[in-house]
Amino acid sequence: IKHALIVTDEGVVAAGLLDQVLEALPCDTRATVFEETPQNPTERACLAGLRCYEKNDCDSLIALGGGSSIDLAKAVALLASHGGELSSYVAIEGGVARIRDILPPLIAIPTTAGTGSEVGRGAIIVLNDHKKLAIISPYLVPSVAICDPMLTLSLPAHLTAATGMDALAHCVETYVATAYNPPADGIAIEGLKRAARHIRRATSHGDDLGARREMMASALNGALAFQQGLGGVHAMSHALGGLPGHKLHHGTLNAILLPHVLRFNAPAVGDRYPALNEAMGLAGDADTASAVAELTAELGLPLTLGELGVTESDIDIAAPLAVIDHTNSTNPRKAGAADYHDLLERAL
């Protein structure tokens, strides 16, 4: 690496975290900073990042921030090495086979404990048509992931809670997904244990480095595990995340939707919920969905989509998009547009 493009956002810069990265660079490595990452990475922002990368003759990327910055950096790396339209690499359009092992090096440094994109093979991007879709390839896994819980100490309580619930949702959804992958099951359960035991402390006492470390480990576990698949929670949160006129936080959406999907999937999961309950420190026959909703309330997060400004017309748009999302295919109970519309109405 001789000239890296650092992909980050204004909040990370304001928190002083960028300065730490710049100070840590070797003396013979230059850096150009792109700090225009939006809350949900968009195709427009990806193209702006690409222009910055090419204009400055960069040869690598460093993603510093939450999942949005990391996903945006992945998209820039893809476009810089492959060219073409971003939509041609979307998974549901056959894009996986078009991605080759020619991407520039990418170092991922997460500043939140939630998405786990630093070890993930996907990038979730809102395209210009407002569809929030996944680009997936093993070649998108960052070259290096630096997971330092010190970088999460400045994260506000509400974002700590929301990103933490994202990690928890990853562990829950992947454990009940239809794909058969016993190692991923074990990783997911271990991640769920860490999240359930430490998310309250990390939220209420943000200076507790031990709790921050365990939440970062939970996020990493969740992302390693969800390579086997997710489910309806993410199908709907992806659909909602691309809605024009909204800036909906992914982790908050997952927290709201998870109890409703847990109830919907209950007839199809066999003995999986008692194992989830045990991991969360609950009785084996506890109501898993209610326990998750109570945790969300305890963390001070919204409990309904209506609190975020989502409307009936938004649901009409999102329900059919959830069906075509790649995560719908591994939901344990088959769900169609009518099912997702009903679930979204219940969450409204």
Side-chain angles (χ1 to χ4, degrees), residues 90-251:
V90 168
I92 62 172
E93 299 293 340
V96 177
R98 300 187 183 104
I99 301 175
R100 296 172 290 151
D101 187 14
I102 58 172
L103 277 74
L106 168 59
I107 297 173
I109 309 174
T111 61
T112 67
T115 70
S117 186
E118 66 273 8
V119 294
R121 60 193 170 100
I124 310 297
I125 307 294
V126 180
L127 300 182
N128 288 338
D129 62 3
H130 302 296
K131 292 179 181 177
K132 189 173 185 179
L133 299 174
I135 300 168
I136 299 174
S137 169
Y139 305 130
L140 289 177
V141 177
S143 312
V144 175
I146 301 174
C147 299
D148 183 354
M150 291 286 288
L151 299 179
T152 68
L153 290 176
S154 61
L155 195 67
H158 72 282
L159 284 177
T160 299
T163 54
M165 287 301 293
D166 189 19
L168 186 145
H170 289 160
C171 295
V172 169
E173 279 218 290
T174 198
Y175 185 70
V176 299
T178 55
Y180 182 75
N181 191 324
D185 288 345
I187 294 170
I189 286 294
E190 181 62 24
L192 181 57
K193 288 179 181 178
R194 293 177 187 273
R197 293 173 185 175
H198 297 282
I199 190 171
R200 295 175 180 85
R201 180 72 181 178
T203 299
S204 62
H205 294 76
D207 60 347
D208 187 325
L209 188 58
R212 292 288 194 179
R213 179 190 63 190
E214 295 307 306
M215 287 308 300
M216 183 158 275
S218 173
L220 187 147
N221 275 27
L224 288 174
F226 74 50
Q227 308 309 315
Q228 82 170 25
L230 289 164
V233 173
H234 280 77
M236 288 187 288
S237 64
H238 290 162
L240 291 167
L243 290 174
H246 291 282
K247 293 183 178 179
L248 302 174
H249 187 271
H250 177 68

Side-chain angles (χ1 to χ4, degrees), residues 42-52 76 79 84-86 128:
T42 62
E43 183 176 0
R44 177 176 296 181
C46 293
L47 293 174
L50 174 65
R51 288 192 294 271
C52 188
V76 171
L79 291 173
E85 297 291 329
L86 198 57
N128 288 338

Side-chain angles (χ1 to χ4, degrees), residues 5 32 34 36 43-58 76 79-80:
L5 179 68
T32 295
F34 178 83
E36 300 169 27
E43 183 176 0
R44 177 176 296 181
C46 293
L47 293 174
L50 174 65
R51 288 192 294 271
C52 188
Y53 182 94
E54 294 178 336
K55 177 181 177 181
N56 292 280
D57 295 323
C58 297
V76 171
L79 291 173

Side-chain angles (χ1 to χ4, degrees), residues 13-36:
V13 175
L17 302 183
L18 173 63
D19 294 336
Q20 296 184 44
V21 173
L22 293 173
E23 291 169 4
L25 290 176
C27 59
D28 62 345
T29 300
R30 292 185 296 152
T32 295
V33 178
F34 178 83
E35 58 182 81
E36 300 169 27

